[in-house]
Amino acid sequence: MKIATYNVNGINARLPVLLDWLEQESPDVVCLQELKAPDEKIPKHEIARSGYNAIWHGQKRWNGVAILAKEQLEIKEVGRGLEGEPEDEQSRYLEAIINDIVIGCLYLPNGNPAPGPKFDYKLRWFDRLAKKAKQLLDQDVPVILTGDYNVMPTEKDVYKPERWVDDALFRPETRKAFHDLSAQGWTDAIRKLYPDETIYTFWDYFRNAFGRNAGLRIDHFLLSPHLVPKLKNAGVDKHVRGWEKSSDHAPVWIELEKE
DNA sequence: ATGACCCTTTATAAGGGA
């Protein structure tokens, strides 16, 4: 079973790239972030025509997350949004059960400029996610928490770490929040398989960042303990970042052994 | 230090992204 995550940076602007990638790589489950579209503008017919069921939590202009699964797989939605801040209207979390696995699709706030109210919101959102994550671990079921975490967990995950120390994606508070979340008992799938390799999932549109491989690793898969022995492979579809009209992120994927 | 680029909008300049 192949599960992918992809920050599309506008699902309508990205539709041709998304459909081409789905056809080429044929992932079983896909978590999308940054739809940048309200529910009524999600291209649901095009997605269905490509052979995928989908649920989505859209929002006008910004944010927005969706979960796709091949049409023979049932998607049972079990949650949208995180508890703890009822006034929060940003669409950043969607949760479903597919093939008896809980899939949490998340788009963590960017948090810049830091310090400031946006950074405070990021850290609060991290805290709310950590509470959700702990609840899921306590249920003792297979869980995947995947998406755009907007965190480079270590210096290995940044092309020039010294330039990013004051950035919301790399500040000590942010890295500590990711570390503390992981320490609940989650496994970073990419680092489990490739502990020392330089692996990026995002390259800025500016300054020929992709051509220079000046990237960041900010899209992650966290696996609950049940799933770690089933992890067979993982990777980044880096070539998609080089396609015409691509997102600034590339798709990231894992393969789990079948039951 | 700044801005480069891309996406969105009851758009046509500005906010957000990372």
Side-chain angles (χ1 to χ4, degrees):
Chain A
M1 184 172 186
K2 185 170 180 179
I3 299 149
T5 189
Y6 187 19
N7 179 322
V8 290
N9 187 11
I11 191 164
N12 287 301
R14 210 62 58 223
L15 194 58
V17 165
L18 174 64
L19 297 181
D20 285 352
W21 169 71
L22 287 175
E23 187 176 351
Q24 286 190 15
E25 301 300 329
S26 198
D28 297 290
V29 176
V30 184
C31 294
L32 300 177
Q33 301 86 37
E34 271 209 275
L35 305 181
K36 289 186 167 178
D39 288 348
E40 62 272 20
K41 289 193 177 172
I42 308 292
K44 46 186 81 82
H45 301 299
E46 290 84 346
I47 290 170
R49 230 177 287 135
S50 69
Y52 284 84
N53 292 321
I55 60 172
W56 49 82
H57 187 199
Q59 182 184 334
K60 193 161 86 174
R61 227 185 290 210
W62 295 307
N63 311 315
V65 287
I67 300 176
L68 279 51
K70 283 193 168 166
E71 56 197 0
Q72 63 270 27
L73 295 172
E74 185 196 353
I75 306 176
K76 183 186 177 195
E77 180 178 327
V78 290
R80 52 177 59 204
L82 294 172
E83 292 179 3
E85 226 167 294
E87 67 280 15
D88 184 0
E89 294 187 338
Q90 300 190 25
S91 300
R92 294 180 176 277
Y93 186 80
L94 192 55
E95 189 179 300
I97 297 176
I98 301 171
N99 257 8
D100 297 320
I101 299 175
V102 179
I103 312 262
C105 172
L106 64 104
Y107 176 43
L108 213 132
N110 174 305
N112 278 306
K118 290 190 173 184
F119 189 58
D120 296 341
Y121 173 65
K122 178 176 196 162
L123 295 180
R124 290 201 310 279
W125 206 93
F126 233 130
D127 189 53
R128 292 161 63 199
L129 177 65
K131 288 190 171 72
K132 159 64 78 173
K134 181 65 165 56
Q135 289 168 9
L136 290 169
L137 281 186
D138 287 346
Q139 288 176 23
D140 204 28
V141 294
V143 185
I144 298 170
L145 290 177
T146 187
D148 179 357
Y149 281 76
N150 266 318
V151 182
M152 296 85 89
T154 74
E155 297 198 344
K156 283 198 292 273
D157 304 310
V158 200
Y159 68 102
K160 278 207 189 294
E162 66 277 11
R163 287 194 190 171
W164 289 83
V165 286
D166 292 325
D167 191 277
L169 279 69
F170 198 55
R171 289 176 70 92
E173 304 95 311
T174 309
R175 276 183 275 173
K176 179 177 190 305
F178 186 85
H179 177 84
D180 289 350
L181 171 63
S182 305
Q184 290 180 355
W186 301 92
T187 295
D188 178 339
I190 289 274
R191 278 293 171 235
K192 171 77 176 177
L193 293 180
Y194 303 102
D196 298 314
E197 292 196 28
T198 296
I199 298 173
Y200 300 137
T201 66
F202 166 92
W203 297 261
D204 217 307
Y205 286 122
F206 312 148
R207 297 166 299 213
N208 188 33
F210 185 61
R212 296 183 294 119
N213 198 28
L216 311 172
R217 190 175 75 94
I218 56 178
D219 301 275
H220 307 298
F221 277 89
L222 293 188
L223 307 183
S224 70
H226 294 85
L227 294 174
V228 178
K230 298 184 184 299
L231 178 64
K232 287 295 144 197
N233 201 358
V236 180
D237 287 336
K238 185 177 174 181
H239 63 285
V240 177
R241 177 63 180 80
W243 288 358
E244 193 84 11
K245 294 269 292 175
S246 84
S247 170
D248 37 10
H249 296 250
V252 186
W253 52 268
I254 63 171
E255 272 182 22
L256 297 177
E257 191 178 279
K258 283 192 177 162
E259 292 300 314

